[in-house]
Amino acid sequence: DTGVSQNPRHKITKRGQNVTFRCDPISEHNRLYWYRQTLGQGPEFLTYFQNEAQLEKSRLLSDRFSAERPKGSFSTLEIQRTEQGDSAMYLCASSIPGQGVRGYTFGSGTRLTVV
Amino acid sequence: DAKTTQPPSMDCAEGRAANLPCNHSTISGNEYVYWYRQIHSQGPQYIIHGLKNNETNEMASLIITEDRKSSTLILPHATLRDTAVYYCIVRVTTDSWGKLQFGAGTQVVVTP
């Protein structure tokens, strides 16, 4: 078990460009979460999936953001027309009911810098 | 989920106990107190949780006041690797599903 894997670890992009991040959860975890973390703040929930179904989206997830989990395994988070305010750490987590709170596992995140 | 209040930062000497306070005065009877920590450039990591009794595990101890309006996370012998941001969260379920609502946390710096 290699934990939750996120790629890339760092991304620098120019304002207006599209970016896509990938998250590979722990293999048997059917729930997958995306969070955003800006400097000096705790992570903020964006959205979560149970298998391939996106069950909840935060109001933080604007129209420029889209998340998918097409086969219930890995997930992608795309940001279109990036803005400087999108600069943040994007964290992915996965979990499976019945494993208790220790089963809720975060990845190390993708740090996005929009210049 | 109830909100929590934590000091923004605190320093601790290596080898000494670190006592991290958290206020959760609006906690409901069915809400648990959770602690996570986030080491630089990593995702948050679960430390410990409790409902009303004090709890201890290999990482830390959690002391919850009798009225449950506040709690203290104790790192008994702080090491340099304990330098991190520590988050106190309250939430209803103990199962590993659902979103977590983090505040700004407490930045703990352990010094030699």
Side-chain angles (χ1 to χ4, degrees), chain A residues 9-79:
Chain A
R9 290 297 310 276
H10 304 274
K11 178 72 176 177
I12 300 175
T13 191
K14 292 183 178 180
R15 189 176 53 184
Q17 298 293 306
N18 300 343
V19 293
T20 300
F21 313 137
R22 176 177 171 128
C23 172
D24 287 90
I26 294 172
S27 58
E28 67 269 23
H29 285 191
N30 60 350
R31 295 185 187 236
L32 185 148
Y33 313 80
W34 285 99
Y35 289 79
R36 182 180 72 182
Q37 185 173 24
T38 54
L39 200 60
Q41 301 299 315
E44 297 173 290
F45 170 79
L46 291 178
T47 187
Y48 97 88
F49 294 82
Q50 179 166 305
N51 300 313
E52 65 275 9
Q54 189 172 17
L55 296 186
E56 186 174 353
K57 293 195 290 186
S58 162
R59 59 179 173 77
L60 296 175
L61 210 66
S62 74
D63 292 345
R64 295 184 298 105
F65 288 69
S66 63
E68 294 183 344
R69 194 182 184 199
K71 296 183 179 179
S73 56
F74 73 90
S75 175
T76 58
L77 178 67
E78 181 183 17
I79 308 175

Side-chain angles (χ1 to χ4, degrees), chain B residues 1-23:
Chain B
D1 293 333
K3 290 195 173 181
T4 63
T5 303
Q6 299 178 252
S9 64
M10 63 184 297
D11 295 336
C12 178
E14 188 178 20
R16 305 294 293 270
N19 297 309
L20 282 61
C22 179
N23 181 286

